[in-house]
Amino acid sequence: MNDFNLLMEFLENNLLADNLIADAAKKLGISDYHLKRTFIFVAGISLSEYIKTRRLVLANEELAGGAPVTDVAFKYGYNSVEGFSRAF
């Protein structure tokens, strides 16, 4: 379980990284495939869904704080405001 805590800490500290899953797998010394399979087994949701949800939570906090929608959308990896809006 210590590896899972390490993973969660790494994910939280690097949520905006482009290659987050690959970097996390490398950090733990396992393949992307095994990381994804293990995560869904332990957490009950896919790793990509977890990352997407966490990014949206952080984006929501920034929007609530008055940040411009366009800036937040691009910061969290969306190519358009429309795509960002659909994600919510």
Side-chain angles (χ1 to χ4, degrees):
M1 198 52 95
N2 191 27
D3 286 342
F4 190 74
N5 291 336
L6 178 66
L7 170 64
M8 297 308 291
E9 182 179 342
F10 182 82
L11 292 175
E12 290 300 317
N13 291 333
N14 297 284
L15 273 173
L16 298 180
D18 289 333
N19 298 315
L20 183 54
I21 294 174
D23 293 344
K26 186 175 181 179
K27 174 100 172 149
L28 293 175
I30 61 175
S31 69
D32 294 9
Y33 173 79
H34 283 98
L35 175 61
K36 291 175 188 177
R37 298 276 299 173
T38 303
F39 190 89
I40 201 166
F41 178 76
V42 173
I45 62 169
S46 71
L47 181 54
S48 57
E49 187 66 28
Y50 173 80
I51 292 168
K52 177 183 171 187
T53 301
R54 286 296 299 134
R55 287 177 177 170
L56 287 173
V57 166
L58 295 177
N60 187 44
E61 290 172 0
E62 288 193 33
L63 291 171
V69 175
T70 304
D71 294 348
V72 174
F74 291 122
K75 178 179 179 180
Y76 288 94
Y78 291 87
N79 295 327
S80 68
V81 174
E82 292 80 20
F84 180 65
S85 296
R86 279 191 299 264
F88 269 96

